[in-house]
Amino acid sequence: MTINLILLSLLAYVIGSIPSGLWIGKIFYKKDIREFGSGNLGATNSFRVLGIKAGSIVTIMDILKGTVATLLPFFFQLHVDHHFWLLTGAFAIIGHSFPLFAGFRGGKAVATSAGVILAYAPLLFVAALIIFLLTLKISKYVSLSSMIAALAALLISLFMGDWILIILIACITLFVVWRHRANITRIRNGEEPKIKWM
C-alpha cells in the first residue's frame, strides 16, 4: 500500500509538472511565455501573453492537473482513506510550482490547487470560484482575487470539520500569498496590471 501511494504521488508530481502555458505558447503561438509579461508559467500570464482563448485553455488544463492527480487513488482502485487523495493532490501542486519539465520554475499554484479542491470538496470549489469571480469583477486584479479566494476557502473550510483539508488549504493559502508577494507590492504602488476583458 505504501509503495503504491509513493508511486501515485510521483505520478501526481509528473502530472502537475506539465507546463500547460509553456507548451501551448510554444506549439500554437511560437512564444515562450517566460519571456513576456510577468515571466510566469501560470494561467494569468497565459491570458496576458497569449490571449483569452489560450488563457482559458491553460486555466482548464491546470485545474484538471490538480483534479486528476487527486483522483489517482480512485482511478487505480487503491482503497485508502479519502485524505490520501489530498496527498497526491499536494504533489500535483508541487509539480506545478516546481515543474520537472520547465527547469523547476512554474506557476503560482492557484488553478492546480483549485483542481485539488474540486476533486475533494466540489462545493468548496464552487464557493471559492464565486468569490474569485466577484472579486475579479470589482478589482480587475487576478492576483488579488486569487489571494482572497484562497483566504475565503480557508475560512469556509474551518466550518467543515475536516482538519486534514484545513491544514492543506492553510498551506496552500500561505504559499499562494507568498508567491504573490511581488504582486502585493505592485498593487500597493498602483503598478499591477488590471484585466480588460471583464
Side-chain angles (χ1 to χ4, degrees):
M1 185 73 72
T2 301
I3 295 298
N4 289 336
L5 278 174
I6 291 173
L7 291 175
L8 289 188
S9 296
L10 291 174
L11 177 58
Y13 170 77
V14 171
I15 292 171
S17 289
I18 297 172
S20 312
L22 178 63
W23 288 358
I24 287 177
K26 283 190 170 183
I27 294 171
F28 297 104
Y29 296 85
K30 310 304 179 186
K31 285 184 178 180
D32 184 335
I33 65 172
R34 295 173 296 185
E35 298 174 358
F36 302 90
S38 65
N40 191 269
L41 279 182
T44 301
N45 201 41
S46 297
F47 272 105
R48 186 178 297 124
V49 176
L50 305 176
I52 294 176
K53 181 180 178 180
S56 299
I57 293 172
V58 171
T59 300
I60 292 170
M61 290 180 67
D62 285 351
I63 290 173
L64 287 177
K65 290 192 303 186
T67 302
V68 170
T70 303
L71 293 175
L72 283 176
F74 171 77
F75 293 145
F76 283 89
Q77 298 183 341
L78 192 62
H79 300 293
V80 294
D81 187 276
H82 282 184
H83 287 132
F84 284 103
W85 293 18
L86 295 176
L87 174 67
T88 52
F91 271 90
I93 294 170
I94 294 170
H96 177 78
S97 303
F98 308 101
L100 177 67
F101 306 120
F104 302 100
R105 292 177 53 218
K108 296 178 180 176
V110 176
T112 303
S113 297
V116 174
I117 296 172
L118 173 60
Y120 188 84
L123 292 179
L124 179 57
F125 168 84
V126 172
L129 178 61
I130 291 172
I131 292 168
F132 171 83
L133 292 173
L134 287 174
T135 308
L136 186 60
K137 178 70 174 177
I138 295 168
S139 71
K140 309 300 182 185
Y141 290 128
V142 175
S143 55
L144 178 63
S145 303
S146 299
M147 290 184 282
I148 289 178
L151 287 167
L154 176 58
L155 290 174
I156 295 170
S157 71
L158 294 176
F159 296 95
M160 298 176 64
D162 186 333
W163 287 103
I164 303 299
L165 177 64
I166 291 169
I167 291 169
L168 177 64
I169 294 181
C171 292
I172 289 172
T173 301
L174 288 172
F175 186 68
V176 166
V177 172
W178 179 75
R179 292 283 277 185
H180 283 89
R181 60 197 184 280
N183 302 83
I184 294 172
T185 300
R186 288 196 295 269
I187 290 172
R188 287 175 177 173
N189 297 334
E191 299 170 350
E192 178 78 347
K194 292 186 176 184
I195 64 167
K196 300 177 181 178
W197 44 268
M198 177 181 278

